[in-house]
Each structure stands twice: as C-alpha cells, then as structure tokens.
Amino acid sequence: MASANLASQNDVCRHGKLIFIKAAGRIESTANISNRMFTVNLPTVSDTEGDSVMRNAILTELYNIFGVPASNHANHVMYCLPPNRMSGIAYA
C-alpha cells in the first residue's frame, strides 16, 4: 500500500484535478524551501491570537523574506497552523 501524504490525499479528494508538483529546492539568505515546505517563525505573535492575526503575520513575513507576495512564488499556499488557532475547523 502506498503511503498517505498531503499530495496523495489531495489527489484522491480532487480526483486528479489539482496536482501538486515539487518546486526546485532553493535557499535564500533567510529562507529554505525543501520538499514543498517552508517554515515561518513568528516570535512576536502571541499563542492566544487567532488564525486571522497569524495568517496576516505569515503573509507579512513571507513578503519580508522574499520581497514579493507569496502568490508570486506559488499558485497555492497552505497554512498549517499550530493547534487551537482557528475559530472553526477549516476554511478555503
């Protein structure tokens, strides 16, 4: 049986209509994108602040690192937030 991961489960859910492909690995002065993943550290965002505050902070930090909006680097951006940050279960 094949292993389940974000790409494989997305393919099952969307019946092959949205395919994630691996971007070339790249290292910038403060950024390391590897295997489709990038971690943003937000030391100034409180653990009690909600998902909208965290989402805006993530977008700002991505802009600060790359100098352009996140949409200039990828067609789709997924946020994997720490536990208990969202007011609901999910949104798209």
Side-chain angles (χ1 to χ4, degrees):
M1 177 179 228
S3 64
N5 57 47
L6 177 62
S8 68
Q9 295 307 299
N10 177 73
D11 187 48
V12 170
C13 183
R14 293 184 171 75
H15 306 285
K17 302 291 183 189
L18 176 64
I19 301 170
F20 289 99
I21 58 172
K22 184 176 180 178
R26 90 191 243 181
I27 298 175
E28 308 237 349
S29 59
T30 57
N32 185 359
I33 298 173
S34 177
N35 200 23
R36 304 177 217 174
M37 302 295 287
F38 181 75
T39 299
V40 174
N41 295 309
L42 305 169
T44 61
V45 177
S46 168
D47 288 347
T48 60
E49 294 180 272
D51 57 292
S52 62
V53 171
M54 189 163 284
R55 183 183 65 247
N56 290 335
I58 291 167
L59 288 174
T60 298
E61 184 63 15
L62 289 173
Y63 186 87
N64 290 340
I65 291 169
F66 295 110
V68 295
S71 59
N72 285 29
H73 290 285
N75 293 331
H76 304 281
V77 177
M78 178 181 289
Y79 306 95
C80 297
L81 302 177
N84 304 317
R85 293 305 183 276
M86 292 184 59
S87 55
I89 59 168
Y91 63 88

